[in-house]
Amino acid sequence: MKFDVLVIGSKPDSIMPSFLIKKIYTANGAAERAYLYQKKYYEADLTCIVGDLEFEKNINARKRIIAASPSRIIVRGGEIHLPTVLKKSKIEYLNPISQQKLQANFFNGGRLVVIFSEFFRETKFFLKLKYFLKKTKKFDYTGVSTGFFAILKALEENPNSKILITGVGMSGGKQFYKSIRNETVDYTPRSRVDRFLVKRFKIKYKKNLYTTDLDLHKNSGIKLWS
């Protein structure tokens, strides 16, 4: 099967394809996987998607993005300090409203379901309410994780393309690379939001999606590829 787009996340022990896919989207430090892939398939074009805090505070994710030297960087959030070595990279910023609008296109229930999804980040009612009020104060509803967001961005920009996903799961846990931020930040709560939203993923967007991850396949119904 021929794929047009490859989406790479940070889940450990993920299968990488051994053939050329010309367009790549990565989430955070998964840029390293794209960098290694491009050493063999140099024609592949790389877009890195990263959270502003992930780039600024996670030195290992930052280093991997810099080393990958992507043609484009999409930042979820505010301005980041871009080093001079990335001066040739095109940079795009997506504020919370832009992110919500993009996500709303892909889920049954639209923007309201993206906003409501924040209730699922925490497990206890008091914490749910506290977190939701914090988000409401700034109207900053994150929605999906950056891995899932990379899938949505790939779909938005390549609506008729076959897309292969690797390294994006729905169970949270650690990233494949170690970092101080990875030791102190729990990624599992955002995966609960992912699982809530993926159940509301519009069927028409799944037809060209394939995943190497059994967990993502089971939670989303996206076709399993191996």
Side-chain angles (χ1 to χ4, degrees), residues 48-66:
C48 291
I49 300 175
V50 64
D52 53 359
L53 292 180
E54 193 72 11
F55 189 85
E56 295 293 336
K57 295 189 176 183
N58 187 339
I59 186 63
N60 282 329
R62 180 186 175 92
K63 284 166 56 178
R64 283 163 170 78
I65 292 171
I66 292 170

Side-chain angles (χ1 to χ4, degrees), residues 13 46-47 86 101 108 121 128 143 161 204 220:
D13 304 318
L46 175 58
T47 293
L86 292 180
K101 286 181 177 179
N108 292 313
R121 185 183 184 277
K128 284 176 184 283
S161 299
K204 67 179 180 179
S220 68

Side-chain angles (χ1 to χ4, degrees), residues 158-174:
N158 308 275
N160 300 311
S161 299
K162 283 189 168 53
I163 299 172
L164 180 61
I165 306 160
T166 186
V168 179
M170 292 279 147
S171 298
K174 299 297 182 183

Side-chain angles (χ1 to χ4, degrees), residues 25 30 33 57 84 103 119 133 148 168-169 184 198 210 216:
Y25 293 77
R33 287 175 166 163
K57 295 189 176 183
T84 55
Q103 294 180 64
F119 271 111
L133 290 174
F148 199 167
V168 179
T184 58
V198 81
Y210 297 80
L216 179 57

